Amino acid sequence: DIVMTQSPATLSVSPGERATLSCRASQSVSSNLAWYQQKPGQAPRLLIYGAFTRATGIPARFSGSGSGTVFTLTISSLQSEDFAVYYCQQYDNWPPLTFGGGTKVEIK
Amino acid sequence: EVQLVESGGGLVQSGRSLRLSCVASGFTFDDYAMHWVRQVSGKGLEWVSGIGYNSASIGYADSVKGRFTISRDNAKNSLYLQMNSLRVEDTAIYYCAKGSNFGPNCFDPWGQGTRVTVSS
């Protein structure tokens, strides 16, 4: 199984600052990597697919990069609504489909 | 608007069975793969099972293989998860998710979830 590892577990950022989240795969997943955002009490929402393509309606301040085993989600200027938990997920090889453990972005 | 509405969750004793349902609307159901993903309270996401648009392709997480069965009824725009031999560790919110427009094993969108609690 492909293991996805996210870091850091928690990221404290001030509004307006940049946030950089990391995701690493235990083996290459090519660009078959998605990012999701989950707010408290809500279902996750797709942000990024194909490692760098924003899903419909996702603001341009969210950007993804990377390929192979190392990936990054960057939020260029944090807004209040961006404080949430972010998960990466590989869909290169299944079953199983696997998620990272999540990064919580909290207000500094 | 795409809508996914799960039902069938509840409190059940260890060893018993439960059947979850997900009714879909707002898209052509039989064009898309569908999945179940679960989340233990306060923890991360775990993919449980997925099924291709025509049921030809099915996969399970090792943690549920042999106990859970995924199925779909395209005529009823419905996805199911039959959960047998339930364990305390199956306690979670179970989300139904549609395979995305960009790939069948990427999830977009998700339902609001149904809570399953397994007691000992």
Side-chain angles (χ1 to χ4, degrees):
Chain A
D1 297 358
I2 298 176
V3 177
M4 307 301 292
T5 303
Q6 290 186 244
S7 61
T10 304
L11 189 60
S12 298
V13 186
S14 298
E17 289 188 340
R18 174 188 295 259
T20 303
L21 289 66
S22 296
C23 174
R24 184 179 296 266
S26 61
Q27 64 190 71
S28 177
V29 298
S30 186
S31 294
N32 296 312
L33 190 285
W35 290 93
Y36 300 87
Q37 176 194 65
Q38 187 179 32
K39 297 179 181 180
Q42 296 185 15
R45 174 177 72 145
L46 178 67
L47 294 177
I48 300 282
Y49 64 93
F52 58 83
T53 304
R54 282 188 302 278
T56 303
I58 301 304
R61 63 181 181 273
F62 291 92
S63 63
S65 63
S67 66
T69 62
V70 180
F71 301 87
T72 300
L73 175 69
T74 301
I75 312 171
S76 59
S77 176
L78 272 157
Q79 306 297 302
S80 57
E81 61 267 29
D82 300 335
F83 292 96
V85 180
Y86 293 84
Y87 296 94
C88 62
Q89 177 235 336
Q90 70 80 19
Y91 53 96
D92 185 69
N93 195 355
W94 88 300
L97 301 169
T98 49
F99 291 91
T103 291
K104 181 180 180 180
V105 178
E106 64 175 24
I107 300 174
K108 187 174 182 180
Chain B
E1 179 194 3
V2 173
Q3 281 202 314
L4 301 169
V5 180
E6 302 96 333
S7 62
L11 175 63
V12 63
Q13 280 189 321
S14 179
R16 298 289 194 129
S17 298
L18 212 53
R19 189 195 196 205
L20 305 184
S21 299
C22 171
V23 177
S25 60
F27 65 102
T28 305
F29 184 73
D30 54 13
D31 278 350
Y32 292 91
M34 297 293 295
H35 298 268
W36 291 99
V37 179
R38 68 185 181 184
Q39 185 172 36
V40 174
S41 181
K43 302 297 184 182
L45 301 168
E46 180 189 18
W47 174 81
V48 172
S49 182
I51 185 168
Y53 70 98
N54 63 357
S55 303
S57 178
I58 288 177
Y60 297 97
D62 284 347
S63 57
V64 307
K65 199 175 296 181
R67 300 188 298 122
F68 290 10
T69 302
I70 192 171
S71 62
R72 63 191 296 162
D73 184 338
N74 287 345
K76 295 183 177 179
N77 286 357
S78 293
L79 175 72
Y80 306 102
L81 187 67
Q82 178 67 41
M83 304 187 295
N84 298 333
S85 303
L86 280 161
R87 304 169 180 168
V88 171
E89 54 265 36
D90 295 320
T91 295
I93 294 174
Y94 285 73
Y95 295 103
C96 163
K98 170 184 163 288
S100 77
N101 293 339
F102 326 112
N105 292 332
C106 193
F107 314 123
D108 182 43
W110 302 52
Q112 282 306 300
T114 187
R115 186 178 297 273
V116 172
T117 303
V118 184
S119 66
S120 56

